[in-house]
Amino acid sequence: MAPRNRHTFIHHVFLPSFFAVLILLMGTVFTPSATAQTDPATADNDPSYAALADLLENDKARDKLIEQLRGLAPEGEASRGAGAAPSEQTPVQRDPADLPLSQRLAVGLQTFTAGVLHDTAATMTAVRAAISGKPVPGNHLRASLPALRILLFTILGTLLAYFVFRTLAKFGFARLNSWILNDSKGKAGPSAQQPSDMAPAVKRYRYAALALSRRLLGVLAAFLIDVAASLLAALAGYVLSTALSGGHSGDTLFALQFLTAFVMIEIAKSVSRGIFATRYDQLRLLPLSPEAAAYWNHWLTLLIGLTGYGLLVVVPIAEAVFLPAAAKIIGLIIMLGVYIYGVRVVWKNRKAVRAGLVQRAEQSSTALFGTLLRVLGRVWHLIALAYFTMLLVVSQADHDQALAFMARATIQTVAAVVIGLILAAALSSLLSRRIQLPDDWRRALPLLETRINAYVPATLKTLRLLILITVSLVVLDAWHAFDLLAWLESDNGRATVALVFRVGIILALAALSWTVLASLIEHRLGISSGTHRPSEREKTLLMLFRNAAAVVIATMTVLIVLSQIGINIGPLIAGAGVAGLAIGFGAQKLVQDVITGVFIQLENGMNQNDVVELAGIFGTVEKITIRSVVIRTLDGGYHLIPFSTIDKLTNHTRDYGYHYGEYNVAHRENVDEAIAQLELAFKDLMDDPALAREVLEDISIPGVTGLTDRGFTIRVLIKTTPGNQWAIQRGFNRLVKQRFDAAGIELPYPQTVLHFGRDKLGYAAPVDVRGVDALKHSTGPTPAAGQTMRPALDEGS
């Protein structure tokens, strides 16, 4: 027999038939001998419910029965029941829900152990009674034989019908598989027809989307066909059981119980087959090889069949036909087998599954799904072990509702996780795109778009955290570890939800306030043309105001959030006041810096880019903070000067400036001619368009302001725009030098006048003057040593 056919035979034929035969064998064991069954005395001893009701209606008979029961009870128990006070009869029992978790676990384990021991003892007693031929209390096999026969025929008929319908369904599966395969090859379907002018990336995206949608549609159609086959088989079994019952509805109870379990189990198996699709590659949702898909589908469907038929068919029928204690022991044995088998398979394949998930994570194009796959690869076996452990515990705690609870919890968990992943992926896709503002907004508020996009990562992380918390609460609620609805309806739940909303609104308002305020300030600072261009003082004050606003908004937001989460901010404010007072006394210099700086700014003493002289330093104001000013000197020096050290401030760029020049001229020059040349140099200056626009008024020459040993001094004043007096000075000096040179006006320089000494009679001694160059080139006789040469002036005198 082929492996796949063998698996199908095991799942759909062997398991239900095995459980039916098991029930019949148990009936053989627990059924007493024929003589015991036909004994009239035994038949007469069968309880009569009508007689019991008549007995309880008679007051005297009821009182007599109570006295007999008390007489049969132990002496201590009877005395407690007859004479003890209600408070002394039994100790006060605490509600198990009020006990700590450790005590609840201990009590639950003790109760479970006691129940298992009691059921085992009762089962062994029944077995010994059956072996010895004695009647077994609670055995209703004789009355249940018609229902069991109908159950057996219903199982066989249902399985036969299921085999027929599944064979017919294979043709539909094959057609769906071919339909998807042909579409993937581009031979059919609308996905093969794309506009020729469409971009290649868009074509690939649309083709992938259409292929995925077609595959999902095919998988859904295959699932519906599979479920329809199961429903039709169950319908055939129901018709057969109804026909065999002959109108006795009580005889079809076990058959209906089996049909209900059959539908539920086969639907669960249909989900597994839809995920793995062992025979049809195109209908397989997970990217697995056929061998891996067949392995996991066989393992999963086998566990579903064992658990479902065991808890939904074998245990309830055994409890109804034979002994409840024996049914519980059978359920425990079945679930222990399922648990051991499941744990073995999970532990055996933990590394292989982890490697496959990590490989898929590396191929994922989305960082979020890649991270989730890596995390799932590390903990998937722990989740599976916890799931099987929970199944074992729940099946023993309440085997009647175990599968319903597990199915409901599993569906709720899967739905919560899938919805959470979809929301997280949608948020990531939505917020990964850069927010773009209109061109008018970008021109008016250049940094607004950047600031809004800077909020995106924090917003995305916050929303993901909220989604994670919500999904976790829903999952815990699914497994009854946390009652979400009760918590939401409680005062604490409503307060927590309201707190989250209030904190979110506060943070949103704080971010909005800062964004609007900073954008308006930057809009004002960004104006570079027009009549509303901000002054340097305004720029400085706006920068200081923006920094102060950031501190105030951040402080107020923190305080309000702390107050909302229940922290009393009164002591914090009082402590901040005391700390501020202590800091004020201990840091008087800092306070003086701040106060001096505030008054300097209010009085508009200096602004950024002003040329100032303060604290003995001459340079340009580069930066102003609330306590200091930064001066950049001509040599590039960076000087940080606290405001408290400024006792005098000289601003050379306020309102206007003057080129103040004093020009020295030699004594032999004419004063009026020198002044005229200075005026001509000013006219030349005004012919320069780059310098002329910086001159505010005509030249002012007060006249001669000084007489020195070198010459006389003429003062010149030229009024300029603020900060341009040095440029005018350099340009005017160049033109003055050119004009003086052209007019022959001599600028004074150091000179020495030599006078020879004379006696009282006015006679000057002869001077030894030698013409070096003349002597070098002369051919005449050279004077002897000691001979003097008198100047020609002396010779002619």
Side-chain angles (χ1 to χ4, degrees):
M1 184 181 295
R4 293 178 178 175
N5 296 330
R6 184 171 64 250
H7 296 164
T8 304
F9 174 80
I10 292 174
H11 296 161
H12 303 297
V13 179
F14 176 74
L15 288 180
S17 304
F18 170 76
F19 289 134
V21 173
L22 178 63
I23 293 172
L24 295 178
L25 290 177
M26 290 175 59
T28 303
V29 173
F30 289 106
T31 303
S33 61
T35 57
Q37 292 180 7
T38 58
D39 188 1
T42 305
D44 294 338
N45 292 333
D46 290 340
S48 175
Y49 295 104
L52 181 61
D54 295 337
L55 180 63
L56 294 177
E57 286 179 354
N58 190 341
D59 295 338
K60 294 181 179 180
R62 184 174 63 252
D63 294 340
K64 185 177 180 180
L65 177 62
I66 293 174
E67 292 177 0
Q68 291 177 356
L69 292 176
R70 285 180 178 173
L72 295 175
E75 182 178 357
E77 183 180 351
S79 62
R80 286 196 303 268
S87 60
E88 299 175 356
Q89 291 179 6
T90 55
V92 179
Q93 299 292 334
R94 294 180 60 185
D95 187 1
D98 298 334
L99 296 176
L101 179 61
S102 59
Q103 295 185 12
R104 283 184 293 178
L105 293 176
V107 171
L109 182 60
Q110 181 181 2
T111 303
F112 173 73
T113 305
V116 171
L117 294 177
H118 176 269
D119 295 338
T120 304
T123 303
M124 296 304 298
T125 301
V127 170
R128 286 194 295 267
I131 294 175
S132 62
K134 297 180 181 179
V136 179
N139 182 17
H140 304 91
L141 181 61
R142 289 184 59 193
S144 303
L145 283 177
L148 291 176
R149 284 194 296 266
I150 294 176
L151 171 64
L152 180 59
F153 286 112
T154 302
I155 291 175
L156 296 177
T158 303
L159 295 181
L160 180 60
Y162 183 75
F163 177 77
V164 173
F165 288 124
R166 281 285 299 176
T167 303
L168 296 177
K170 292 179 181 179
F171 295 100
F173 299 153
R175 291 290 300 274
L176 290 172
N177 189 76
S178 301
W179 179 60
I180 300 175
L181 183 61
N182 292 334
D183 177 72
S184 63
K185 294 180 179 180
K187 295 181 180 180
S191 60
Q193 300 175 358
Q194 300 289 350
S196 58
D197 57 346
M198 187 180 297
V202 178
K203 287 184 179 181
R204 289 193 299 269
Y205 175 77
R206 290 191 59 182
Y207 180 80
L210 290 173
L212 178 60
S213 62
R214 176 165 291 218
R215 168 168 288 196
L216 292 177
L217 183 61
V219 171
L220 179 60
F223 174 75
L224 294 178
I225 293 174
D226 201 350
V227 172
S230 302
L231 294 177
L232 290 175
L235 180 60
Y238 174 75
V239 172
L240 178 61
S241 64
T242 304
L244 294 175
S245 64
H248 297 85
S249 59
D251 294 341
T252 61
L253 180 62
F254 295 160
L256 293 179
Q257 195 165 5
F258 164 76
L259 292 175
T260 303
F262 174 79
V263 171
M264 295 175 59
I265 293 169
E266 293 305 322
I267 290 177
K269 290 182 179 180
S270 299
V271 175
S272 175
R273 288 191 290 266
I275 295 175
F276 297 105
T278 57
R279 298 185 180 182
Y280 308 99
D281 297 340
Q282 301 302 321
L283 297 178
R284 189 180 305 134
L285 286 179
L286 295 182
L288 297 175
S289 63
E291 294 77 12
Y295 175 81
W296 289 108
N297 181 67
H298 166 69
W299 173 71
L300 189 58
T301 53
L302 180 60
L303 289 180
I304 293 174
L306 286 173
T307 305
Y309 287 117
L311 295 182
L312 297 179
V313 179
V314 175
V315 173
I317 294 178
E319 184 176 0
V321 174
F322 309 116
L323 192 66
K328 293 180 181 179
I329 295 300
I330 294 172
L332 177 60
I333 294 173
I334 293 174
M335 293 311 301
L336 281 176
V338 170
Y339 181 77
I340 294 173
Y341 178 67
V343 169
R344 176 179 173 274
V345 173
V346 169
W347 194 257
K348 177 181 177 182
N349 296 276
R350 67 186 189 282
K351 294 182 179 179
V353 175
R354 176 180 179 180
L357 291 175
V358 171
Q359 183 179 2
R360 293 296 302 175
E362 295 175 353
Q363 299 174 357
S364 176
S365 59
T366 306
L368 175 62
F369 287 107
T371 303
L372 290 177
L373 288 176
R374 291 186 181 91
V375 174
L376 182 61
R378 293 179 178 273
V379 301
W380 82 271
H381 60 287
L382 300 178
I383 298 175
L385 294 178
Y387 186 85
F388 283 115
T389 304
M390 180 63 68
L391 177 60
L392 177 63
V393 173
V394 172
S395 64
Q396 299 310 306
D398 187 6
H399 63 269
D400 294 334
Q401 301 295 328
L403 290 185
F405 170 78
M406 293 298 296
R408 183 172 57 252
T410 303
I411 294 174
Q412 183 173 341
T413 300
V414 173
V417 173
V418 170
I419 293 175
L421 291 176
I422 293 175
L423 290 178
L427 287 174
S428 300
S429 177
L430 180 64
L431 297 180
S432 61
R433 303 173 184 176
R434 182 175 178 84
I435 300 175
Q436 294 184 353
L437 299 178
D439 295 336
D440 297 339
W441 288 33
R442 284 203 297 265
R443 285 192 296 269
L445 306 172
L447 296 181
L448 179 60
E449 181 176 319
T450 303
R451 182 170 287 107
I452 292 177
N453 285 286
Y455 295 144
V456 171
T459 304
L460 183 59
K461 292 180 181 179
T462 303
L463 293 177
R464 284 179 178 175
L465 179 61
L466 291 177
I467 292 174
L468 177 61
I469 294 174
T470 304
V471 171
S472 301
L473 292 178
V474 174
V475 171
L476 292 176
D477 177 74
W479 298 99
H480 290 183
F482 179 77
D483 193 348
L484 182 59
L485 294 179
W487 180 76
L488 290 176
E489 294 175 355
S490 65
D491 295 337
N492 292 333
R494 289 195 294 266
T496 303
V497 174
L499 173 63
V500 172
F501 277 102
R502 287 198 300 268
V503 171
I505 292 174
I506 292 170
L507 295 178
L509 290 177
L512 179 63
S513 301
W514 168 245
T515 302
V516 172
L517 183 62
S519 299
L520 292 176
I521 292 175
E522 290 162 359
H523 169 64
R524 180 61 183 166
L525 294 175
I527 298 176
S528 58
S529 61
T531 57
H532 299 287
R533 184 171 57 183
S535 61
E536 294 299 329
R537 175 175 178 267
E538 185 177 0
K539 291 180 180 180
T540 303
L541 291 177
L542 287 176
M543 294 297 293
L544 292 176
F545 177 71
R546 186 179 68 172
N547 296 335
V551 174
V552 171
I553 291 176
T555 304
M556 294 299 296
T557 303
V558 171
L559 291 178
I560 295 175
V561 170
L562 290 177
S563 66
Q564 289 297 318
I565 63 178
I567 298 178
N568 187 10
I569 63 174
L572 294 178
I573 297 176
V578 174
L581 185 62
I583 292 174
F585 282 109
Q588 298 183 14
K589 203 69 174 177
L590 176 62
V591 176
Q592 185 179 359
D593 290 339
V594 174
I595 294 176
T596 305
V598 169
F599 279 102
I600 287 177
Q601 291 303 312
L602 291 178
E603 295 173 1
N604 196 18
M606 60 179 170
N607 298 304
Q608 285 185 341
N609 300 322
D610 285 356
V611 179
V612 298
E613 184 178 358
L614 49 86
I617 298 176
F618 181 87
T620 304
V621 178
E622 188 170 282
K623 180 181 178 182
I624 298 178
T625 64
I626 198 171
R627 63 166 296 272
S628 62
V629 58
V630 175
I631 302 297
R632 182 76 68 175
T633 56
L634 293 177
D635 59 355
Y638 183 92
H639 301 272
L640 180 65
I641 303 173
F643 283 123
S644 60
T645 61
I646 301 175
D647 55 357
K648 183 177 68 173
L649 171 63
T650 303
N651 195 328
H652 294 279
T653 53
R654 185 53 48 85
D655 299 333
Y656 57 86
Y658 271 103
H659 162 51
Y660 175 83
E662 294 196 353
Y663 299 92
N664 294 325
V665 182
H667 284 291
R668 71 178 188 179
E669 305 297 341
N670 187 282
V671 174
D672 296 334
E673 184 180 0
I675 294 175
Q677 294 299 323
L678 291 174
E679 292 176 349
L680 291 175
F682 179 75
K683 291 181 179 180
D684 295 338
L685 177 69
M686 298 304 292
D687 292 337
D688 188 347
L691 297 177
R693 63 170 177 263
E694 307 298 341
V695 178
L696 299 179
E697 294 180 0
D698 197 3
I699 190 173
S700 174
I701 304 178
V704 178
T705 58
L707 296 173
T708 63
D709 56 350
R710 297 182 180 181
F712 58 91
T713 303
I714 302 176
R715 179 175 296 171
V716 174
L717 295 175
I718 301 177
K719 190 174 184 180
T720 67
T721 55
N724 291 297
Q725 55 265 42
W726 296 283
I728 297 300
Q729 177 185 5
R730 292 188 296 270
F732 186 71
N733 288 341
R734 180 178 62 85
L735 296 174
V736 167
K737 181 64 170 63
Q738 293 176 357
R739 282 291 179 177
F740 279 8
D741 290 344
I745 297 177
E746 179 183 358
L747 297 177
Y749 54 88
Q751 299 181 11
T752 301
V753 180
L754 182 61
H755 296 274
F756 296 98
R758 294 177 182 270
D759 56 10
K760 293 182 178 180
L761 298 178
Y763 178 77
V767 179
D768 185 7
V769 179
R770 301 181 181 183
V772 178
D773 293 338
L775 292 176
K776 182 183 299 184
H777 300 288
S778 174
T779 57
T782 301
Q787 184 180 358
T788 61
M789 294 183 63
R790 300 185 61 88
L793 180 60
D794 292 342
E795 294 178 354
S797 58

